[in-house]
Amino acid sequence: MKDSLAIALHFLKFRPRTVFEIQKKLTSKNIDEQEIAKVITVLKKNKLLDDKNFAKMYVRDRNLLKPTGTFLLKLELRKLGISDQDIDTALEGQDDEILAKQALESKSRYRTADFNKQAAFLQRRGFSPSVIYKILKS
């Protein structure tokens, strides 16, 4: 238990992680399922693992550094093993229109680009076609 807990704590030292990420890391180190379950229980009890808070923090930080649409954020959070319910909670109140405007403003080469280039950029950032059209036509 001590070794597997030490591995998990070392993994958590660099950035917050999800339960899925910890399970994957410990599985890669050939630690059995019961041991992994014990480690996760200990980490949750000590509030070092919390998928709901992780999802909220991830969305907040991602939108501060690189404004992203709801679609792309959902994909990224699912890859990290976050449940759909926690994803929906984290994305509550997200305004894609404001974020799309911020994304365009953050990239100087797209501020004055033509409609197609701006639309393609916003689409790559995960914004829906309806939001893209609304932003670019206003």
Side-chain angles (χ1 to χ4, degrees), residues 20 71 73-82 84 87:
F20 175 75
F71 179 77
L73 283 171
K74 281 183 180 181
L75 283 178
E76 290 173 355
L77 289 169
R78 280 192 190 117
K79 280 184 184 176
L80 292 170
I82 305 290
D84 286 342
I87 291 172

Side-chain angles (χ1 to χ4, degrees), residues 54-63 73 77 90-91 94:
F54 177 90
K56 287 179 183 176
M57 180 204 62
Y58 186 89
V59 168
R60 183 193 69 228
D61 291 349
R62 185 81 155 104
N63 285 330
L73 283 171
L77 289 169
L91 292 173
Q94 172 152 319

Side-chain angles (χ1 to χ4, degrees), residues 30-82:
N30 297 324
I31 297 170
D32 67 76
E33 295 293 321
Q34 291 175 334
E35 187 82 13
I36 293 172
K38 287 179 188 175
V39 168
I40 288 173
T41 303
V42 168
L43 293 172
K44 281 183 174 182
K45 187 188 272 186
N46 290 302
K47 294 184 169 90
L48 294 172
L49 270 185
D50 185 353
D51 281 357
K52 189 176 284 192
N53 283 338
F54 177 90
K56 287 179 183 176
M57 180 204 62
Y58 186 89
V59 168
R60 183 193 69 228
D61 291 349
R62 185 81 155 104
N63 285 330
L64 280 174
L65 300 172
K66 188 176 179 183
T68 307
T70 302
F71 179 77
L72 189 59
L73 283 171
K74 281 183 180 181
L75 283 178
E76 290 173 355
L77 289 169
R78 280 192 190 117
K79 280 184 184 176
L80 292 170
I82 305 290

Side-chain angles (χ1 to χ4, degrees), residues 97-98 100-101 104 111 115 118 122 130-138:
E97 289 181 30
I98 292 172
K101 287 177 185 175
L104 278 177
R111 283 186 211 141
F115 179 90
Q118 287 180 333
L122 291 174
S130 61
V131 168
I132 293 170
Y133 189 77
K134 193 172 186 178
I135 294 302
L136 296 180
K137 284 297 179 183
S138 60

